[in-house]
Each structure stands twice: as structure tokens, then as C-alpha cells.
Amino acid sequence: MKYGYFDDNKREYVITNPRTPWPWINYLGTKDFFSLISNTAGGYSFCKDAKFRRITRYRYNGVPMDNGGKYFYINDAGTVWNPGWKPCKTELDSYECRHGMNYTIIKGSKNGLEAEVLFFVPLETWAEVQKVTLNNTSDKVKKIQLFSFVEWCLWNAQTDMENFQRNLSTGEVEVDGSVIYHKTEYRERRNHYAYYSVNVPVTGFETDRESFLGLYNGFDEPETVLQGKAKNSIAHGWSPIASHCLEIELQPGESKDLIFVLGYVENDAKEKWESKKVINKTKARQTIARFRSVEDVDKAWSDLKKYWDDLLNAYILKSEDEKLNRMVNTWNQYQCMITFCFSRSASFFESGIGRGMGFRDSNQDLIGFLHQIPERARERIIDIASTQFPDGGCYHQYQPLTKKGNNEIGQGFNDDPMWLIFGTVHYMKETGDFSILDEMVPFDNKPGSEQTLFYHLTVSFDHIIDNLGPHGLPLIGRADWNDCLNLNCFSDNPDESFQTTENKTEGSKAESLMIAGLFVMYGKEYADLCSYIGKHEESVRARKHVANMIDAVKKFGWDGEWFLRAYDFFGKKIGSKENEEGKIFIESNGWCAMAGIGLNEGLVTKALDSVKERLDCEHGIVLNNPAYTTYHIESGEISSYPEGYKENAGIFCHNNPWIMIGETVLGRGDRAWEYYKKICPAYLEELSDLHKVEPYVYAQMIAGKDAYCPGEAKNSWLTGTAAWNYLAITQYILGVRPQYDGLLIDPCIPSDLKSFTVVRRFRGTTYQIEVNNREGSMKGIKQIKVDGKILSGNLLPLIRTDNVVKVEVEM
């Protein structure tokens, strides 16, 4: 069944039933200050870093699900309810949640009272604003009590859940009028605090959790709310919270607006205090003053919506398929921006504690938002490159607060270096900004080690050719893109992580065909770049190594009907017909197909036909087949999963686009389109009870054909699936692809798509590209006209004009 609907005009998904199969969430914030919010107001906030600057607490894997958030309790003559249904779960007369572009509106009604809450983070603001609108729709006077509620996290989200002997003694707050300040540990090493305000006088407050809830009560029956009176508690240790109590009277038909601000402040070390033990509140007061009135809030919300309209208008698709339009124009682009902000760190499937910004992940995420905010992509590339080592290797992750590499994860994922070439090349094709290559970038963030970014690209390239195995194929190291294919791990200890256990690479023969395909595809791009900027000797050298890799793949990486996945520690084949389980894998066949290895000899066609035959199913393309039914210590974590889940024959949506793009290399638009629709969330909305996660964003994983429950999805929002699917649909299926000198027009579309229009902003010029497919072709251009003049070839040249450039394409 469906639990809501798309409102395309407002760029919103509207949830009309609060009992969604999984919490359906949204993200608030564009830079530094962020919140996650579910359709029932669950979630949490942080500034800059979800691990080290967590502001409010959240309970993962809790019972009941999605407990803890930003709640408003209403006590209406003894009937206690929440506009978001949870946590009290009082049956509402009406309910609606609107998830929009960085804002959420939750609205409920009960017994003639409507309560609507707008949640958003204004631009350039370290605070979340909540506008509560109460409307008396009855014919009687309403006298109610409204209680706000947030629970403070003690800053470091990991120690917040571990070090209770300290935590339960450190909590400190201040209350100043209608503002509650959280200042735990501010007296010592911290220079930051949080606050929660309301723009009217309060009749009471709570800052101690047990005083508010009652020691043995849950969020669904808070003692203070049920009693209808705040105790004015001041937290000293234990568990600090912030709750305002307001007495409100509404005449029949009367409405009232209240403005709450949940904010974060950092003070200079010399300006921490107003007086002894009293924090300096100047910055907090300034932010609160900015949102004192409804007009202030509405203006800030309008600015936020305009900001997103400007971003999303960089690429507009007009077709007869409304589901395709809404994904390309709104939700896929939006998810790409959210994923850029967080990599894989903070969601309802990732705690924000164990992972930072991924080296590989962040480079891949660039391709989804480059056309929107290229300047932030430039900054991200420099941050990523700064965590590299002089030999081209790199930290697998880094923390956004410090931008330094995570030692807990370390290095040794041998595909990582090539992704820097991937991200930088895509950036320059979008922007034409070659000056980034001259940017001086340190290694391991060490001052004095700076080299040009181009030099970083060179050592990235060389890291592959300096680490080749006995077949001339890239050594896999700790792992490649599939972190769960741990060929040098040999773990028999359940208490250690597959990804961080000893990397037994000494003497290993473990080689990766996936890295080989990546190297061929983006090694060519590196060589092309070198040629373009006049480094011809380096270009010749690079092409020689790419040619050697192609030869090695053809000689040692082809299994007769598809590409091998790898060789293991002992030099035995993985992803071969010789194997009993795991005969064929998606990654190597996707990358070698995209790279066109053996295209003229028919290898790509055979490989993708084998993918169709062995890996495809009704919910998408599974990662491997047959699934592993026993644990293979020499293969690692992949074989530890039950059949059909995650890397063990699950549908890893992230790599399905590699096959889509591979199909466009062959010109098979119908098949690329078939694969696209199978995992695209807008086409799965009717399957929400099975799919479970949000019908407006991609999930990382869908259970495969071998699973207990095929089609069930997990890990939505933060996944490379977003950027890769956006690349596949916009640049390879719809076929508008940035190049150094213009836009390449090369659609590979389903034969029944008769026409579509792309309005594309590119380097300051807007191109309106109308594609007509009267003959039902899948690939191939008959003619292109630019402003009425026939173009030779299919590369749109750069045109500097304030006018819209009209492009007519005949398939």
C-alpha cells in the first residue's frame, strides 16, 4: 500500500499515515548545522560532526522504533497528544507530514485543535527553527498546555553511550528567561554550548529528564505533561534536557504562532564567560533575535526554498513520464546533495559515530552535485587529497571536524587512489577549472609536504602500477570497492572487524578485476587530461600502462562468458565458472564493460548477457551468483552474510548503474532503462510495505532473489547509489555529458521514449536540448541543430550568452 503521495509542484513528499513501514526521514541544513527528522519528529541534530558535536541524543535500534526526537506535547483538558502522533500515539483526527527540500512540516489535529510544526535550518545559521502554529477549529474556548522537549547529547556521541560513570555527573544547564542553555563540560576544554528558546514567556520548564518523564516512564507518558505542571527542575548531572511549558488560551477560530530555536554556539577561548560560571550568551541572543517574529521565520524559509529552486533548476527534464521527471528534477538531485554533506556517516542506518567522510565515497558523491555547487566540490577534492600518503595510498575515511584521516580504519583499500582521478576529472569537465591542478595540497595533512594536485593524481595512478600481482592485475590490498571481499583477512575471530583486522598482504596474490576496469577507464581519462594540458610524455606513459592492463584483463581476467571478479590470496579464481558458489559478480563486469575492454571482440556483449541471465531479478541486479551458503575464510565478510543480503547476492543498488552504463556502451537503451526502473524509488512506491524505506530516495541495498524476503530494502539516503544513478540517467541514458570543451550529446534511450527536453545550465549558459526520437531508436544521432544551424558532430561547443541556447536533436 501507499503511505502518502508526491506533491511535485511543491517538491514535497506528503505522508498521510504515520505508521510507515520504517521511519521515513528528511535532512535539515545545508552547511555545518544539520538535523535528521522522521515523519513523527524523531531524529537528532549536530554541528559539523555527528560524532564530536552531537547536540541532541538519539537511540539506535531502540524499542519502540524511532524513540527520541524534537517533540511537542499538548495537554488539552487531560487528553495528551502530539502533532506527529509519536511518542504518545494518541489517535489523531488528522495527520500529515510534508518532507520538502531541507524542511519538514508535521501537522496533526485532535478534538478541534490543529497543531502544525515547521522544522528547518535557515541558510548560514547554526540553529534549527521550529514554528508551531496552533489553530482552534472548534466553537469553544481552548485552554491548553504545550510542552516542548529535546534531550541533550553530551557532545561526543560515542562516549555519550559509554562512559556513564562520568556522564551522569557532568551535565550542566542554565536557564535565562525563555531560553534553556546546555553547557556540559563548557567549564573545561569545550568552548561550545547549545540552547533551546521560545519567543514568549514560559510558565515553567524542565531541564532534568527524570523530573520530566518520571524515572520509569517512557517518552509516551511524561509525568510533567500528564500532571499539567512543570517542576522547574535544574539538571545537575544525570540526563539534561530542555522543555518549555506554555499555558495557551485560544478563542474559537483563533490561531497562534510560537517560534522555537534550537541552536549551537562556539566562543573564542577568551570570551567564554559573562561572569563566573555564567556562559557568554551574546551569539545565542543574536541568533534568537533574528527569528523573533513570524515574518522573520517566513522570510528565512522563503530564502531556503529559493536556494533549493536555484540549485535544482541547474538541470530540468521534461518528459511524459512524471516519475522520471520527479526523480531527475527533484529527489535524486536532493539526495545527491544530502549524501555529499554526510558521506556515509549520519542516517537512521549509520550512527554518525563509526564512520567519517569516505575517500572513495566522497569522490563518487561529487558526480551527483557538481552541476549545482561546483565551488564546494572543489573544496571537497582538496580535503580528500590532503588525506593521501606520498606513495599514493590514502586514509579510507576522515573526520569532517578535523579533516584528518581516521587511524581506526587506516588505509590499504587499493581502489581508493584512482577515485581521486575520477572526482577531479569530473570536476574539471563540469567547470573547466584547470587551476585546481596547480593547488598545493599536503600529504597526510602535514605542513611542508605540499605538492600540486596534479602530482597527487600522478601518484594515485602510480599506486596501481606499483602494486600489481602475478598476472599484471592490481593487487586488492585490504579490499576494493566491495569492502566485504576481504581476500587478505582470514578472520576466525567474531570479536574483530573484517575491515580493521590485520591486513595480511605479505606474499598475497590477491588481485582485483574491478580495480583493473576502474584503472582502464580512468587511466584513459588521466592520459587524456595529460594530453589536454600539454603533458604529452606523461600521457604516452599512462597510455602504455593502460594498454598493458587491457592485455592482462583479456589474458587473465576473462572466464569465457564473463569477467572474473578476482584472484584470491593463493592465486585461485573468484567469480569463475570453476567456483561452486560466487561464479559471477557484478562489479568486474560493470567496470570492464564501462571501460569497453574487449568491446570489439564481443567480450562486453557476452559479459552483460551473462549478467542478465545470472544476476538479474525482478527487484534489480544481484551482486553475485550463486550466493554463498557457507563461510569462506579466504573470501571474508561477503560469505558471512545470509544468502540474498548485503554483499552476498543482495541487490547492491550502488553498482546497478555500472551495468546500466555498460548497456549504453552497447547501445541497448531498452535494457538500460529496464534496469533503471527496477531500483528507482518513484517506481516502487506501490511496494512500500515490502520495500519499507522511503519511496523518494534510493536505498543502498535491496534483498536479492535468494533472500528470505526479496525486495525488502535497507540503508536509505546515504549511498553512492544516488550519485551513480544520477550519472547513469542524465549523462548516459538521457545522454547529456560534460566534456572539457562542451556538452556531448549521446542519448541511449528506450525505444518507446519518443521525445524529451533537458534544460541544462553549463558554465554560465543555459542550453535547452530537445530530443526527438520519431523512429524509435535507442542510440545514434541523425542531426543536431544549434539555434537553427546544423552542428557537425555531437559535441555542443561552449557558447557564452545570456540567451537560452536552443538545441534540436534528431535520433
Side-chain angles (χ1 to χ4, degrees):
M1 64 178 287
K2 293 171 63 174
Y3 290 81
Y5 61 92
F6 287 95
D7 186 336
D8 294 326
N9 290 331
K10 293 184 177 180
R11 302 189 196 267
E12 295 174 342
Y13 190 82
V14 186
I15 301 168
T16 55
N17 181 346
R19 298 172 176 85
T20 51
W22 187 260
W24 288 359
I25 75 166
N26 195 12
Y27 285 81
L28 314 180
T30 57
K31 187 177 181 181
D32 290 346
F33 192 103
F34 299 102
S35 296
L36 287 71
I37 183 167
S38 75
N39 57 295
T40 60
Y44 58 92
S45 298
F46 62 93
C47 191
K48 299 181 183 178
D49 193 309
K51 179 177 181 179
F52 292 117
R53 294 296 180 268
R54 186 74 67 90
I55 295 170
T56 61
R57 182 175 284 160
Y58 187 75
R59 289 165 178 78
Y60 286 88
N61 207 24
V63 179
M65 185 65 195
D66 188 23
N67 245 17
K70 287 77 173 281
Y71 293 139
F72 290 97
Y73 296 89
I74 295 171
N75 188 330
D76 181 4
T79 299
V80 175
W81 59 282
N82 309 92
W85 182 60
K86 284 198 71 178
C88 292
K89 297 190 290 187
T90 304
E91 288 300 319
L92 301 177
D93 297 332
S94 66
Y95 161 88
E96 181 182 89
C97 170
R98 289 181 169 266
H99 284 322
M101 303 293 100
N102 267 162
Y103 67 86
T104 288
I105 303 171
I106 296 177
K107 182 178 181 179
S109 67
K110 183 73 175 176
N111 296 339
L113 179 66
E114 288 181 349
E116 177 181 286
V117 189
L118 165 66
F119 300 86
F120 74 104
V121 174
L123 299 171
E124 304 297 330
T125 302
W126 285 4
E128 175 186 312
V129 172
Q130 304 158 356
K131 184 178 78 169
V132 178
T133 301
L134 301 171
N135 182 24
N136 182 1
T137 61
S138 74
D139 57 3
K140 298 178 181 177
V141 175
K142 286 278 187 183
K143 292 184 178 180
I144 66 166
Q145 293 163 319
L146 178 75
F147 297 85
S148 65
F149 174 83
V150 298
E151 182 179 11
W152 302 118
C153 181
L154 304 186
W155 303 118
N156 184 322
Q158 182 169 335
T159 59
D160 182 73
M161 296 189 295
E162 295 175 344
N163 195 9
F164 301 125
Q165 61 84 25
R166 173 179 169 84
N167 295 347
L168 297 179
S169 296
T170 58
E172 288 189 280
V173 299
E174 285 185 29
V175 179
D176 183 7
S178 297
V179 189
I180 298 168
Y181 295 89
H182 175 226
K183 61 176 186 178
T184 296
E185 294 186 338
Y186 187 79
R187 64 185 294 161
E188 39 158 325
R189 296 169 294 173
R190 299 189 181 277
N191 69 331
H192 49 264
Y193 62 83
Y195 59 91
Y196 194 31
S197 71
V198 63
N199 66 332
V200 295
V202 299
T203 55
F205 59 85
E206 302 281 18
T207 68
D208 174 71
R209 189 183 70 195
E210 277 63 54
S211 298
F212 179 76
L213 294 178
L215 183 59
Y216 296 105
N217 292 359
F219 294 117
D220 58 333
E221 49 178 2
E223 186 176 281
T224 291
V225 178
L226 295 178
Q227 293 176 352
K229 184 178 181 181
K231 306 180 184 69
N232 296 344
S233 60
I234 297 293
H236 296 281
W238 302 109
S239 301
I241 65 161
S243 174
H244 307 91
C245 174
L246 302 172
E247 302 275 355
I248 297 170
E249 181 175 311
L250 294 170
Q251 299 298 315
E254 184 183 2
S255 292
K256 182 167 292 188
D257 293 303
L258 303 164
I259 300 166
F260 295 80
V261 179
L262 174 67
Y264 170 88
V265 164
E266 290 179 0
N267 281 329
D268 185 271
K270 297 178 181 179
E271 299 176 344
K272 287 181 65 173
W273 305 100
E274 287 184 5
S275 57
K276 186 175 181 179
K277 301 182 71 173
V278 178
I279 60 177
N280 181 348
K281 305 178 179 66
T282 301
K283 291 182 179 179
R285 289 168 178 153
Q286 290 171 346
T287 301
I288 293 168
R290 285 175 52 203
F291 306 105
R292 180 66 65 183
S293 71
V294 171
E295 291 74 21
D296 295 333
V297 173
D298 289 347
K299 173 64 165 58
W301 185 33
S302 176
D303 290 344
L304 178 67
K305 289 191 287 187
K306 183 179 183 303
Y307 169 86
W308 275 104
D309 285 343
D310 290 343
L311 287 183
L312 298 176
N313 286 341
Y315 191 111
I316 300 172
L317 170 67
K318 299 175 183 177
S319 78
E320 294 180 357
D321 188 333
E322 67 174 12
K323 295 178 180 178
L324 175 62
N325 294 343
R326 70 170 56 117
M327 288 308 301
V328 170
N329 295 337
T330 301
W331 292 100
N332 197 171
Q333 291 196 74
Y334 181 53
Q335 185 180 2
C336 286
M337 278 295 296
I338 298 301
T339 305
F340 154 68
C341 290
F342 303 108
S343 188
R344 311 293 176 267
S345 65
S347 72
F348 271 33
F349 293 90
E350 292 280 2
S351 68
I353 297 170
R355 301 178 70 175
M357 309 296 285
F359 190 99
R360 171 205 305 144
D361 298 332
S362 294
N363 274 297
Q364 290 179 95
D365 295 339
L366 291 172
I367 59 178
F369 75 93
L370 269 171
H371 62 293
Q372 296 175 317
I373 313 184
E375 64 275 11
R376 291 187 68 183
R378 192 184 202 277
E379 178 186 2
R380 178 61 55 83
I381 289 170
I382 301 303
D383 288 346
I384 295 167
S386 299
T387 66
Q388 197 171 24
F389 295 105
D391 70 348
C394 37
Y395 284 105
H396 197 49
Q397 298 170 10
Y398 69 95
Q399 282 303 127
L401 186 67
T402 64
K403 297 186 178 181
K404 292 184 178 180
N406 288 355
N407 285 315
E408 294 84 355
I409 302 296
Q411 57 173 313
F413 298 78
N414 280 1
D415 66 312
D416 274 346
M418 283 303 296
W419 291 109
L420 184 61
I421 296 175
F422 171 94
T424 305
V425 163
H426 279 282
Y427 167 78
M428 290 186 296
K429 285 186 175 183
E430 178 66 40
T431 64
D433 174 22
F434 290 89
S435 69
I436 192 174
L437 297 175
D438 299 320
E439 194 78 24
M440 299 300 290
V441 182
F443 287 102
D444 195 14
N445 280 287
K446 292 180 179 177
S449 65
E450 291 82 3
Q451 293 278 2
T452 65
L453 180 64
F454 181 81
Y455 182 82
H456 280 259
L457 301 187
T458 301
V459 297
S460 294
F461 182 90
D462 288 348
H463 189 273
I464 303 296
I465 61 178
D466 291 341
N467 291 277
L468 299 179
H471 298 101
L473 298 167
L475 292 169
I476 197 170
R478 184 174 291 280
D480 60 19
W481 174 90
N482 186 342
D483 291 341
C484 295
L485 189 65
N486 318 117
L487 304 184
N488 298 309
C489 178
F490 298 96
S491 176
D492 58 5
N493 180 359
D495 300 322
E496 65 187 8
S497 164
F498 284 99
Q499 270 75 59
T500 59
T501 188
E502 182 184 357
N503 186 11
K504 303 178 179 71
T505 56
E506 188 70 29
S508 173
K509 300 176 182 178
E511 298 166 292
S512 166
L513 267 298
M514 181 260 156
I515 300 179
L518 171 64
F519 178 79
V520 170
M521 188 169 182
Y522 282 91
K524 289 178 183 177
E525 291 284 0
Y526 172 72
D528 289 345
L529 171 63
C530 292
S531 179
Y532 191 87
I533 63 176
K535 295 182 180 292
H536 299 294
E537 289 186 9
E538 178 65 3
S539 178
V540 170
R541 182 184 80 93
R543 293 187 198 282
K544 177 182 176 181
H545 286 293
V546 170
N548 291 341
M549 188 67 71
I550 292 172
D551 290 342
V553 171
K554 289 180 180 179
K555 187 173 182 180
F556 299 109
W558 180 249
D559 200 52
E561 297 295 328
W562 57 80
F563 293 98
L564 295 174
R565 177 61 177 90
Y567 287 90
D568 71 10
F569 183 94
F570 306 102
K572 296 179 180 178
K573 295 177 181 178
I574 294 177
S576 166
K577 58 180 177 291
E578 299 173 12
N579 302 127
E580 182 178 347
E581 299 176 336
K583 290 177 182 289
I584 179 172
F585 283 72
I586 193 173
E587 302 100 328
S588 51
N589 287 287
W591 272 104
C592 291
M594 287 193 292
I597 299 175
L599 178 64
N600 294 333
E601 300 98 314
L603 271 59
V604 172
T605 300
K606 286 183 179 180
L608 295 186
D609 285 347
S610 295
V611 167
K612 178 65 176 174
E613 176 187 353
R614 295 170 177 266
L615 299 180
D616 188 32
C617 72
E618 65 174 309
H619 300 293
I621 309 168
V622 301
L623 188 142
N624 59 287
N625 179 263
Y628 291 104
T629 59
T630 58
Y631 176 53
H632 296 249
I633 193 170
E634 72 278 9
S635 298
E637 186 175 3
I638 185 173
S639 59
S640 72
Y641 284 108
E643 297 92 314
Y645 292 99
K646 287 283 284 181
E647 282 81 357
N648 186 17
I651 299 161
F652 228 85
C653 298
H654 184 153
N655 53 35
N656 274 229
W658 302 347
I659 303 299
M660 298 173 203
I661 295 171
E663 291 290 353
T664 69
V665 172
L666 295 177
R668 301 197 296 204
D670 284 337
R671 189 170 287 180
W673 177 245
E674 174 193 347
Y675 289 145
Y676 175 78
K677 288 177 67 176
K678 281 186 178 181
I679 64 168
C680 183
Y683 295 92
L684 308 178
E685 189 182 10
E686 301 285 350
L687 302 176
S688 289
D689 281 325
L690 170 62
H691 195 64
K692 288 189 180 296
V693 296
E694 297 91 342
Y696 42 91
V697 292
Y698 282 97
Q700 177 207 65
M701 193 279 292
I702 298 173
K705 56 188 176 181
D706 301 290
Y708 172 76
C709 188
E712 185 181 70
K714 295 185 180 76
N715 203 4
S716 56
W717 280 99
L718 303 187
T719 165
T721 306
W724 271 107
N725 271 280
Y726 197 73
L727 185 79
I729 188 63
T730 60
Q731 296 195 24
Y732 287 91
I733 296 177
L734 299 176
V736 181
R737 194 152 63 247
Q739 303 293 298
Y740 295 132
D741 293 321
L743 286 172
L744 187 70
I745 308 301
D746 186 26
C748 185
I749 57 178
S751 54
D752 60 359
L753 182 59
K754 299 305 182 184
S755 66
F756 65 89
T757 299
V758 169
V759 180
R760 176 69 152 86
R761 201 162 61 216
F762 183 63
R763 302 192 197 172
T765 300
T766 299
Y767 297 81
Q768 181 177 298
I769 304 163
E770 298 178 2
V771 178
N772 291 301
N773 188 28
R774 297 178 178 90
E775 298 178 11
S777 300
M778 289 188 287
K779 193 176 177 75
I781 300 296
K782 180 185 291 185
Q783 178 179 274
I784 297 179
K785 290 183 179 179
V786 180
D787 287 335
K789 297 179 180 179
I790 295 177
L791 177 72
S792 176
N794 63 340
L795 180 66
L796 293 182
L798 296 172
I799 301 174
R800 307 294 185 187
T801 178
D802 293 332
N803 299 323
V804 174
V805 177
K806 294 187 177 181
V807 182
E808 300 169 78
V809 180
E810 287 285 342
M811 297 286 288

